[in-house]
Amino acid sequence: MYHANKRVLVTGGAGFLGSHLCERLLEGGAEVICVDNFFTGTRRNVEHLIGHKRFELMRHDVCFPLFVEVDEIYNLACPASPIHYQHDPVQTTKTSVHGAINMLGLAKRVRAKIFQASTSEVYGDPSVHPQPEEYWGNVNPIGPRSCYDEGKRCAETLFFDYNRQHKVRIKVARIFNTYGPRMHPNDGRVVSNFIVQALQNQDISVYGAGEQTRSFCYVDDLVSGFMKLMASDDDVIGPINLGNPGEFTIRQLAELVIELTGSRSRIVEFPLPQDDPKQRRPVIDKAKAQLGWEPKVHLREGLTKTISYFDQLLKEGNRDAAIAAS
């Protein structure tokens, strides 16, 4: 529970993860400043919070300094899906690196505690499976995914150097695949792709034979991990893996989505994209031991809630299109 005057800044706060975090922080009693440049985030994600007496929405790009008085900072700003981060790879790197510098500078000035949303992509296409935090990764530094992978790796470097050099209180989480309501419908990620395709009875696109594996964490579980890490003792700085250790092949996910939607979709195979990781599963022993955290929502349950969200979104889109055409 947050005391009445605790002020929390959430960058990327109108995005998928950020909007859920803003909601939970408000429920806990915090004053929340939500910052977003709306590159991938949308007002729709936070419109139900606008007007709340402890919520403030600000359009701002973290590549530029921000001057506010806050107690805590959650740095979530950065496009996280390949379609979006590869659209403008230079800007993606800037967002990770300049954004980290600017938010760390703010944390240093106002003596705020700061959380970095890092990613399992720092492990690249891993040669160690499952991935513990001690694994340094297998990342291509010059490939099409490098803007995101290396940008996030550099951000982690900056966080740890600000901690060592300036005593900034940091928290670094490495986020594994997460899904749930408010995912961007066109972000190219497997859960949103498969659900949108299945709901429209379109072919479901699987790359390769669909034998590559992923671990899927429901958004509510992940946000609980964020807040537990931020609330932990100052000597718990991470990096800490946050994700669901349950492992599924991409083909298994596609088959489950078809089952849950009752879709007539067929699974169609396409060539694997460059540097696509073959396996991805977190070791979460540190999160269990240091935070008392582990995911609780099973994939079937989380997918059912996510399908309901996308079903409503598609119905609204079809309705709006019909009105525009009339």
Side-chain angles (χ1 to χ4, degrees), residues 15-125:
F16 163 47
L17 298 180
S19 62
H20 284 276
L21 176 61
C22 287
E23 210 169 57
R24 291 276 286 278
L25 290 167
L26 289 169
E27 288 171 6
E31 293 180 26
V32 176
I33 302 174
C34 170
V35 165
D36 209 294
N37 69 349
F38 300 110
F39 175 60
T40 55
T42 67
R43 288 182 182 273
R44 174 196 173 95
N45 287 341
V46 292
E47 63 187 359
H48 62 296
L49 304 178
I50 296 171
H52 191 294
K53 64 182 180 180
R54 286 184 278 106
F55 181 78
E56 180 181 348
L57 177 61
M58 183 186 304
R59 181 188 284 271
H60 181 80
D61 187 334
V62 295
C63 289
F64 300 93
L66 180 64
F67 300 95
V68 291
E69 297 294 324
V70 291
D71 301 297
E72 294 178 353
I73 302 166
Y74 286 86
N75 186 37
L76 275 58
C78 189
S81 74
I83 283 179
H84 291 143
Y85 67 63
Q86 290 173 8
H87 173 72
D88 188 346
V90 172
Q91 187 61 34
T92 295
T93 304
K94 285 182 176 179
T95 300
S96 284
V97 178
H98 291 186
I101 290 169
N102 287 326
M103 290 305 107
L104 285 161
L106 174 61
K108 180 186 169 189
R109 284 193 300 275
V110 300
R111 298 182 179 177
K113 187 161 45 171
I114 181 167
F115 172 102
Q116 167 66 1
S118 191
T119 171
S120 60
E121 295 293 336
V122 301
Y123 299 123
D125 186 5

